[in-house]
Amino acid sequence: MSKEPKVTVLMPVYNGEKYLAEAIDSILGQTFTDFEFLIINDASKDRTVEIIESYKDERIRLVHNEENLKLIATLNKGIELARGKYLARMDADDISVPHRLERQVAYLEANPSVAVCGCWADMIGEDAGHIWKFPMEHEAIKARLLFENCISHPGVTVRRSILNDPKLRYDPEYTHVEDWEFWSHISMKHRLHNIQEILLHYRLNDNSVSRVYEEEQSYNNRKVFIPYLNRLGIHPTEDEIDTHRRFNYEAWPFTPDKIFIRNCHEWLLKLQAANNVMGIYDEPAFTNQLAQKWYLVCSRSRNLGWWVWAQFWKSPLINNRLLSAKQRTKFILKSAAGRN
């Protein structure tokens, strides 16, 4: 391509022959066409290269790693090679909907203060039909990142100018949670947004990171949020770290008891008090996030019956934060089923 494209779509791939053609087709079929498709082959040993080279689209830019660098090093290499004003991510087993790039580029063009534009994603393959609905506004995203990732990595488009900062790179110390750490880092200086629309079909299968590296990913989760707890002036104990991890969706399910519920509430109030002093997270978005976590814990503690319903409503976190009729009904039914 002779001119610089508006977007670089970055897709690392290692032995991705099974779903690769579907992923490539979904990018080449985008309604927005001003992009280069930077595919980095991470020393694949299957038919990956043969499949890529079967496409004759001039927007494809195939780069080879001489040895298997793995994902983080390959992503950072892609950042250095990208030429577009925007950098869009893609994985070799997912599918982007046809208007994904059009929607994300239009939003970023219209909102120059936003650095990262994500989207909702639905699941294909295993757990098909499940939808990841992430918060829309920056303040809510930033607050939720203290607990869990809420940006769909292969469905994101980033303003490449922020990556002129050499400190904004994927960190090899956060293997398998590198994207969560990346967005958390970015959120402290730049604004993030999630389009409230399914723009990515995400494939979960037995080879997914969350399945293959579940133990390592679980351990590294704690490495993401601890520095941000430290920013709040909190240096958590091991018990507090365990409590905090329980608010991450990936830490469910659990069997709660009254002591656990009280510990969760005390921890959330401690976070609120710390933020009132340090002002790291915007209000009311931060307390709203704490209230959502409190609702999540209580609503899933049906075995504690009406006791947990009473604890929920007594909390100052819920003050002026009303449940929807659907949430209220669901909570009541669960409490009634587990009353003791």
Side-chain angles (χ1 to χ4, degrees):
M1 299 179 67
S2 58
K3 68 181 183 71
E4 290 189 355
K6 178 76 77 171
V7 176
T8 294
V9 179
L10 171 59
M11 186 176 77
V13 56
Y14 173 69
N15 291 348
E17 64 177 7
K18 187 172 183 180
Y19 303 110
L20 182 57
E22 291 181 78
I24 293 175
D25 290 342
S26 77
I27 295 299
L28 297 182
Q30 290 290 303
T31 56
F32 180 90
T33 60
D34 184 9
F35 64 84
E36 65 169 348
F37 194 2
L38 176 57
I39 305 177
I40 304 183
N41 165 43
D42 195 18
S44 297
K45 298 177 182 179
D46 63 357
R47 294 180 55 250
T48 287
V49 173
E50 177 187 340
I51 292 170
I52 298 169
E53 290 182 340
S54 72
Y55 290 85
K56 306 306 177 185
D57 195 303
E58 64 177 7
R59 294 171 296 181
I60 293 178
R61 181 181 168 201
L62 176 59
V63 173
H64 299 280
N65 290 342
E66 293 184 3
E67 59 181 355
N68 182 237
L69 300 181
K70 300 191 182 298
L71 180 61
I72 293 177
T74 301
L75 287 172
N76 287 333
K77 178 178 179 177
I79 289 174
E80 301 300 328
L81 293 174
R83 300 187 301 140
K85 179 179 179 181
Y86 302 110
L87 178 66
R89 275 282 288 114
M90 182 62 185
D91 279 347
D93 56 354
D94 297 331
I95 298 172
S96 288
V97 305
H99 58 283
R100 173 196 157 188
L101 293 181
E102 180 182 355
R103 293 280 286 114
Q104 291 181 320
V105 170
Y107 185 86
L108 289 166
E109 292 278 275
N111 297 273
S113 66
V114 174
V116 176
C117 183
C119 62
W120 288 358
D122 67 351
M123 307 289 277
I124 56 177
E126 297 181 24
D127 294 330
H130 178 73
I131 300 175
W132 284 342
K133 295 183 177 181
F134 298 125
M136 178 172 65
E137 301 295 346
H138 169 73
E139 293 79 10
I141 295 170
K142 181 180 176 181
R144 187 162 165 182
L145 284 169
L146 182 62
F147 296 93
E148 62 205 348
N149 193 4
C150 55
I151 299 286
S152 180
H153 193 194
V156 75
T157 297
V158 179
R159 194 177 300 276
R160 194 166 65 90
S161 59
I162 71 167
L163 301 176
N164 291 332
D165 180 354
K167 294 180 180 179
L168 287 183
R169 294 294 184 272
Y170 295 94
D171 190 333
E173 293 296 317
Y174 294 88
T175 306
H176 309 310
V177 291
E178 68 282 339
D179 54 331
W180 182 13
E181 193 280 332
F182 192 51
W183 312 132
S184 297
H185 191 169
I186 290 174
S187 72
M188 292 294 151
K189 292 186 177 180
H190 304 282
R191 298 187 66 79
L192 297 82
H193 180 88
N194 277 314
I195 293 175
Q196 307 292 277
E197 181 181 348
I198 296 170
L199 299 179
L200 179 77
H201 303 310
Y202 179 87
R203 192 183 306 275
L204 185 65
N205 55 68
D206 288 338
N207 294 321
S208 298
V209 167
S210 59
R211 296 283 177 82
V212 179
Y213 303 102
E214 182 177 0
E215 185 173 342
E216 184 177 1
Q217 186 181 48
S218 177
Y219 176 79
N220 283 344
N221 277 343
R222 60 189 285 154
K223 293 167 61 177
V224 177
F225 59 73
I226 287 178
Y228 297 94
L229 293 177
N230 294 163
R231 283 176 180 246
L232 288 170
I234 297 175
H235 298 276
T237 66
E238 285 299 317
D239 286 343
E240 288 175 329
I241 290 171
D242 183 65
T243 297
H244 191 86
R245 287 189 65 251
R246 294 293 182 179
F247 291 107
N248 186 315
Y249 279 102
E250 293 183 2
W252 300 85
F254 64 89
T255 302
D257 57 28
K258 293 181 179 181
I259 294 175
F260 175 74
I261 296 298
R262 291 190 178 105
N263 288 342
C264 286
H265 190 240
E266 290 175 5
W267 177 244
L268 293 173
L269 292 179
K270 183 173 182 175
L271 293 176
Q272 184 187 47
N275 192 58
N276 287 341
V277 174
M278 304 301 292
I280 301 297
Y281 299 93
D282 293 336
E283 291 289 6
F286 189 64
T287 297
N288 286 342
Q289 178 61 212
L290 301 182
Q292 289 175 24
K293 293 303 183 186
W294 180 231
Y295 169 75
L296 182 66
V297 166
C298 292
S299 67
R300 295 194 177 190
S301 303
R302 68 183 73 184
N303 61 303
L304 301 178
W306 294 118
W307 179 88
V308 75
W309 171 264
Q311 299 306 306
F312 174 79
W313 283 111
K314 286 194 302 184
S315 172
L317 295 171
I318 305 305
N319 185 35
N320 296 325
R321 290 173 179 83
L322 300 178
L323 298 181
S324 68
K326 181 178 179 180
Q327 287 176 314
R328 185 187 295 267
T329 300
K330 186 176 181 180
F331 199 161
I332 291 173
L333 291 175
K334 285 184 175 182
S335 297
R339 61 180 179 268
N340 50 21

